Amino acid sequence: MRCDYCDNPAVVHETTVKNGVTKQVHLCEEHAREAGIVLPGQSSPQKIQQVLNQFVISKSAPGKRATKKSCPTCDMTFADFRHGSMLGCADCYETFEKELTPIIERSQNAGTHHVGKAPQRAGVSIDRQHQIRQLIKELDDAVAAEQYERAAALRDKLRTLEVSFPPTPANEPTET
């Protein structure tokens, strides 16, 4: 495979799919460096800067070295995560939230919250079931808070949805 910009052999091959359109880029070593891609065995200016920042004397506390942020539970640093690609514990997500958010957004097409996934053939029925469960929860909360007028309105909405969506054996209430 040849570089997209010259006749040299390509050493970087990148494939991106965005909105169903596939784009392939093939770069030689020189053009990869120009694009800011660090090849194995090479050092990047950003990595050098990170190493230097670790040993820079902190301005707020003269005489002390800058300390690395680490997880209070498992003592993992962000550098450890970058090296191993795995976090040490659940608290690492909170400790490194600022650093992890851009990584998660890039890997999940700008999504940062799990919204679940449903089969396409289920379509509207899944959405309607979710809406019914949400209304039941709101109805329970309204009754618990003694907001009976709001509870009556929610009950009426719920009945309207249940009429247009009769219970099936899977979601039919059981009597105890």
Side-chain angles (χ1 to χ4, degrees):
M1 184 78 50
R2 297 282 174 201
C3 177
D4 291 344
Y5 298 102
C6 64
D7 285 333
N8 292 332
V11 294
V12 174
H13 307 279
E14 181 179 68
T15 303
T16 34
V17 179
K18 189 172 185 179
N19 296 328
V21 178
T22 303
K23 180 182 176 185
Q24 291 186 345
V25 177
H26 307 283
L27 302 173
C28 65
E29 193 172 324
E30 179 183 341
H31 287 107
R33 230 184 342 261
E34 289 175 8
I37 298 171
V38 179
L39 299 173
Q42 295 179 343
S43 62
S44 75
Q46 292 87 4
K47 286 186 181 180
I48 293 170
Q49 187 63 41
Q50 288 175 349
V51 171
L52 289 175
N53 287 341
Q54 292 174 10
F55 298 104
V56 171
I57 297 174
S58 173
K59 292 179 183 176
S60 61
K64 289 187 178 179
R65 292 185 176 218
T67 57
K68 286 184 180 181
K69 180 167 55 169
S70 64
C71 176
T73 305
C74 67
D75 220 24
M76 178 176 229
T77 65
F78 191 70
D80 295 337
F81 162 72
R82 293 296 265 187
H83 178 71
S85 299
M86 290 179 65
L87 294 172
C89 68
D91 293 333
C92 289
Y93 287 96
E94 291 178 21
T95 305
F96 304 117
E97 181 179 10
K98 182 180 172 186
E99 294 87 356
L100 289 173
T101 300
I103 295 170
I104 293 170
E105 285 176 348
R106 275 195 311 268
S107 67
Q108 299 296 323
N109 296 326
T112 56
H113 301 298
H114 180 70
V115 292
K117 188 172 181 179
Q120 289 180 341
R121 65 178 179 261
V124 177
S125 66
I126 295 280
D127 294 337
R128 196 171 292 165
Q129 287 175 355
H130 176 69
Q131 191 176 11
I132 288 172
R133 281 193 299 268
Q134 185 65 31
L135 283 173
I136 290 172
K137 182 179 180 288
E138 289 180 32
L139 178 63
D140 290 342
D141 292 344
V143 169
E146 298 180 4
Q147 298 172 342
Y148 299 115
E149 292 172 2
R150 181 171 171 253
L154 289 168
R155 179 203 59 209
D156 294 341
K157 273 187 188 178
L158 192 58
R159 282 185 181 161
T160 304
L161 276 174
E162 286 177 342
V163 166
S164 62
F165 184 66
T168 60
N171 66 1
E172 202 170 275
T174 57
E175 294 185 27
T176 55

